Amino acid sequence: MPKFLKPTRRAFLGASASALGLALLPGQRAALAAAPKHGGTATFLISAEPPVLTTIAHTAFNSVFVSAKVTEGLLTYDFDLTPRPLLATEWSVSDDGLRYTFKLREGVKWHDGKPFTSVDVAYSIATIKEVHPRGRNTFLNLTDIQTPDPLTVTLVLSKPAPYLITALAAPETPIVPKHLYEGTKAAENPVNNAPVGTGPFVFKEWVRGSHIIYERNPDYWDAPKPYLDRLVVRLVPDAAARAAALEAGEIDLAPATPIPYSDLQRFEQLPHIGFEKQGYQYSNGISRVEFNLEKPYFQDVRIRRAFAHVIDRNVIHDTINYGYGATIPGPISPSLTKWFVGDLKTYPIDIAAAEKLLDEAGLRRGDDGIRLKLNHDYVPSGETYKRGADYIKQALARVGIDVTVRSQDFATYTKRIYTDRDFDFTFNGMSNLFDPTVGVQRLYWSKNFKPGVPFSNGSKYGNPKVDELLEAAAVEIDQAKRFKQWQAVQEILVEDLPDIGIVSQPEITLYNKRIAGHTVGAEGASGSLADAYIVT
């Protein structure tokens, strides 16, 4: 087995500071050059009420932004996804990629005073494998978890998992206290709503529909952090209200492009507001048009290709997204640079070609000019999806496709798409995450069509060659071979078109310039905020 990897504290801080310096304005870099200050309250904004406050059994968007304030992971990551120590101080991977051994940090305590040990790690990872929506795939090849002593954990795999070392961040793989979870159903445990962790902040209260309060952990293992005395999370579902609160200086930190894109240019001119585009390397979101391949008409690839000749991703980028983000030719975001293929086949906007394909598929215009009537359900997650759906309706009308746009709340949308299968096509967003085996495979692997499981293979796409490539890439430890496998997957997908990649999501954190140290790695604002402090 190779020697343990033990990054030095100096190297970790140097890399983080360098990367952060590239991301911030000169004034912010100067502020970070000064010593962080203790004290003060920071206000953190999210757009909707999270269903739970931990991500042990949940991947809800807003839960991800709060979980790591209390519960930590084994590792954290630089902007380039290089792993760094957190609850684990050293780690090694066997030459065959089947054993991952972690040395844990000494002297760490849970917020209730109990000691943190290897049994907590073993319980958490075993539970995540069983109940976490993505953990089932992440830890698919995990066969045993060994805890030879209180500060050592070894994960034993049946096959290599080359992405695994990047999957251990707090928002994705949180470590929770076994003594508070054991013997319960993890997804239903009340501790999820009043979390107990090892992190820099201690949960204080959750007033539904209003706010969540966290207070400084005075016994945090990484003293003198955290620097903030209190973190108040405000829940503001209305976009106009979020913009007003930011402009008024009532909010210090607001992730995930919290205001309408139409307001961004004006906000860039506000002297007290900063824009941070780093800190989303762990998510890498895209938007896409997804077809329901159980519908007879979408089983004909000519019809799907006709849609691709009509739906102009440049219009969505330039008009709907106000120029933010980037158009994409396939299923992977250009932000995921190790896996992105930019020269994939595309379908130029060509109304005549679309009309010809539809005619050939037997969808000729009726006396009223209509070829087909369809329902379009967009994901209710921001104004861009509604506006994008309206544009798609107008675009398809040019070739005789009569579209009814349907709106609904998030729970109804999720049930309609993934449980009831009562949709024709949808405009939605998905995260590629930190590795395509975790974030992309779930959408195209035939074995991952599971009615009732959200954010899985919603199209019911199946191609034996794609399945073979996906399964091979999931265990391939040679990076060059693995890239070739994913390149082949992308090339097949743009031929088969179970969906149409549209744009990479322009994720931006807006912040009040009085706060610094909030974005220090790939998790960004979904990280712990242990380094955040008030400048003035």
Side-chain angles (χ1 to χ4, degrees), residues 251-455:
I251 301 298
D252 293 306
L253 198 60
T257 321
I259 64 175
Y261 293 136
S262 55
D263 285 341
L264 285 174
Q265 187 171 6
R266 181 173 65 84
F267 267 69
E268 287 178 340
Q269 308 307 314
L270 297 178
H272 67 292
I273 297 294
F275 278 48
E276 177 59 83
K277 296 181 181 179
Q278 290 272 36
Y280 294 96
Q281 290 87 343
Y282 214 75
S283 54
N284 298 302
I286 66 167
S287 63
R288 59 206 272 270
V289 172
E290 183 177 32
F291 302 104
N292 182 355
L293 302 187
E294 291 187 285
K295 299 294 185 179
Y297 30 85
F298 283 136
Q299 291 172 7
D300 190 327
V301 71
R302 292 172 296 186
I303 295 175
R304 306 197 297 271
R305 290 173 179 170
F307 274 53
H309 278 301
V310 173
I311 298 171
D312 191 338
R313 53 173 60 91
N314 289 312
V315 169
I316 295 178
H317 172 263
D318 297 340
T319 303
I320 309 302
N321 281 25
Y322 290 86
Y324 291 92
T327 59
I328 56 175
I332 291 183
S333 168
S335 300
L336 211 60
T337 54
K338 287 168 57 175
W339 309 105
F340 176 71
V341 177
D343 59 350
L344 295 171
K345 174 181 178 179
T346 56
Y347 298 81
I349 301 305
D350 188 333
I351 300 303
E355 297 264 18
K356 184 173 184 292
L357 285 167
L358 292 169
D359 286 342
E360 290 173 354
L363 289 183
R364 297 187 177 277
R365 290 180 183 265
D367 293 340
D368 58 0
I370 303 299
R371 299 175 184 271
L372 184 66
K373 294 185 177 182
L374 297 174
N375 291 315
H376 182 195
D377 299 277
Y378 64 90
V379 64
S381 182
E383 65 162 20
T384 56
Y385 292 102
K386 170 63 168 69
R387 296 180 66 234
D390 290 339
Y391 156 71
I392 292 168
K393 172 184 172 72
Q394 295 170 11
L396 290 172
R398 299 177 65 191
V399 293
I401 306 295
D402 183 22
V403 173
T404 297
V405 175
R406 298 192 296 197
S407 61
Q408 56 238 294
D409 61 33
F410 196 83
T412 302
Y413 169 85
T414 302
K415 183 174 183 291
R416 182 189 293 279
I417 304 301
Y418 297 102
T419 301
D420 299 339
R421 309 290 298 157
D422 175 28
F423 77 105
D424 294 315
F425 69 109
T426 176
F427 184 38
N428 62 30
M430 289 290 168
S431 294
N432 286 172
L433 295 170
F434 47 87
D435 186 283
T437 292
V438 180
V440 181
Q441 175 172 323
R442 61 191 168 125
L443 306 176
Y444 307 104
W445 192 28
S446 68
K447 297 174 185 177
N448 204 40
F449 173 69
K450 298 179 179 179
V453 177
F455 317 120

Side-chain angles (χ1 to χ4, degrees), residues 75-91:
L75 303 174
T76 187
Y77 300 89
D78 283 345
F79 294 117
D80 63 359
L81 297 179
T82 299
R84 297 299 184 193
L86 201 61
L87 288 177
T89 58
E90 306 172 35
W91 55 94

Side-chain angles (χ1 to χ4, degrees), residues 72-74 87-88 102-125 145-154 174-179 182 197-198 221:
E72 297 183 290
L74 289 176
L87 288 177
F102 300 88
K103 294 295 186 182
L104 304 181
R105 193 174 297 279
E106 296 185 46
V108 177
K109 293 186 181 296
W110 295 101
H111 294 162
D112 62 4
K114 301 285 187 181
F116 158 75
T117 73
S118 58
V119 299
D120 298 305
V121 177
Y123 170 82
S124 299
I125 290 178
I145 306 175
Q146 299 172 355
T147 55
D149 63 63
L151 294 177
T152 304
V153 176
T154 296
I175 306 303
V176 299
K178 178 181 178 181
H179 64 278
E182 190 174 29
T198 57
W221 57 263

Side-chain angles (χ1 to χ4, degrees), residues 27-104:
Q28 280 295 96
R29 292 200 294 272
L32 284 176
K37 302 175 182 179
H38 278 101
T41 296
T43 304
F44 186 91
L45 182 149
I46 57 179
S47 61
E49 188 111 42
V52 291
L53 303 186
T54 66
T55 52
I56 186 68
H58 223 294
T59 57
F61 180 72
N62 287 315
S63 295
V64 167
F65 278 113
V66 297
S67 181
K69 280 52 180 177
V70 173
T71 53
E72 297 183 290
L74 289 176
L75 303 174
T76 187
Y77 300 89
D78 283 345
F79 294 117
D80 63 359
L81 297 179
T82 299
R84 297 299 184 193
L86 201 61
L87 288 177
T89 58
E90 306 172 35
W91 55 94
S92 68
V93 182
S94 62
D95 291 337
D96 61 8
L98 299 181
R99 296 177 67 87
Y100 289 66
T101 299
F102 300 88
K103 294 295 186 182
L104 304 181

